[in-house]
Amino acid sequence: MKKILIVFLSIVSMFIFSACNSGPEYVNAEDSRAYASMGLDYHDIESVVEKSVASLLSSGYVQAIKQPKVLVISDIINDTMQNVDVEQLSRKVTRDMRNSGKFKLSLAISGSGTSGDKMIDSVRAKTRGNDEFDQYSVIEKGQLKGAQLSLSGKIWQKNVTVSGKQRTDYFFLLTLVDLATGEVVWDDEANIIKVGSNRSVSW
């Protein structure tokens, strides 16, 4: 009886140990495609950024740029039922734009598409004329660079039922505007289309 009890306790311990070690696991970026959902994920954002930036950098407008232009991020509107981090999207796009050598990003002013750097204004307001700071090291007036271009965008989705399955279309519109003239110098629409069972949800 004692031996049976020992064996039983050993089996229970093994199950408990296994349960304790069945936690989360790491998945690399490529393998994570096997865990796709009807919502927007990392791969969708990467795909949109890659397509849109390729379109932008190959445009005649960008090809003609000789000196880097200062860019600000305007509003990026999320009109979907997904919790999309619009700043992640806008910063991925502008990061690739900056890496091309054609653009410089300013965070002195911004719309809803990113978080402006509040320290730009704060450091000027709190140090100029303040005796506690060496005024020779304080940033002088007139140092901020004026923006020449504005990047804005919108994301929206459309859900339809096709052949007993749910189809969700996502649309990403990005627009680059010349702030001096108000003219659109480039825009692009990228689409993500997903199909799943009716039990799949995209909201």
Side-chain angles (χ1 to χ4, degrees):
M1 185 69 180
K2 186 176 181 181
K3 288 184 178 180
I4 295 174
L5 180 60
I6 292 173
V7 171
F8 174 76
L9 291 175
S10 298
I11 294 174
V12 171
S13 298
M14 287 175 61
F15 275 111
I16 293 174
F17 182 77
S18 297
C20 291
N21 285 277
S22 61
E25 59 183 291
Y26 285 102
V27 179
N28 65 45
E30 284 304 313
D31 291 343
S32 66
R33 289 183 180 275
Y35 301 94
S37 70
M38 291 297 288
L40 292 169
D41 59 25
Y42 162 83
H43 296 290
D44 300 325
I45 300 299
E46 288 290 313
S47 174
V48 167
V49 170
E50 182 178 351
K51 179 181 180 299
S52 296
V53 172
S55 167
L56 171 65
L57 298 183
S58 64
S59 68
Y61 174 79
V62 173
Q63 293 293 316
I65 294 177
K66 302 302 181 184
Q67 295 293 328
K69 292 184 176 289
V70 178
L71 166 77
V72 291
I73 300 174
S74 182
D75 294 336
I76 307 290
I77 300 171
N78 176 23
D79 193 19
T80 74
M81 290 174 275
Q82 308 297 306
N83 183 23
V84 179
D85 188 334
V86 294
E87 181 164 8
Q88 179 192 30
L89 172 65
S90 67
R91 293 300 290 273
K92 279 180 177 290
V93 172
T94 55
R95 186 177 303 121
D96 288 348
M97 292 173 68
R98 288 188 294 112
N99 288 340
S100 73
K102 300 281 189 176
F103 305 92
K104 294 181 178 181
L105 176 63
S106 171
L107 292 182
I109 55 176
S110 66
S112 64
T114 192
S115 301
D117 192 334
K118 296 179 181 179
M119 191 54 64
I120 294 173
D121 288 334
S122 180
V123 73
R124 288 164 169 75
K126 294 182 179 180
T127 60
R128 288 176 181 162
N130 188 333
D131 293 339
E132 296 298 325
F133 291 90
D134 175 3
Q135 293 301 299
Y136 288 102
S137 66
V138 170
I139 299 172
E140 297 179 356
K141 293 183 178 181
Q143 298 299 302
L144 292 176
K145 300 298 182 183
Q148 298 161 292
L149 298 170
S150 172
L151 179 73
S152 62
K154 183 177 180 179
I155 313 168
W156 68 98
Q157 77 178 73
K158 180 180 179 181
N159 293 351
V160 295
T161 300
V162 180
S163 300
K165 292 186 176 182
Q166 180 186 179
R167 169 175 160 169
T168 302
D169 299 344
Y170 296 99
F171 306 88
F172 295 77
L173 175 64
L174 292 174
T175 305
L176 192 64
V177 171
D178 184 322
L179 289 172
T181 65
E183 297 174 327
V184 174
V185 295
W186 168 85
D187 69 342
D188 183 72
E189 182 181 308
N191 302 319
I192 299 290
I193 301 173
K194 295 187 173 185
V195 176
S197 70
N198 283 326
R199 289 179 297 176
S200 304
V201 294
S202 55
W203 56 82

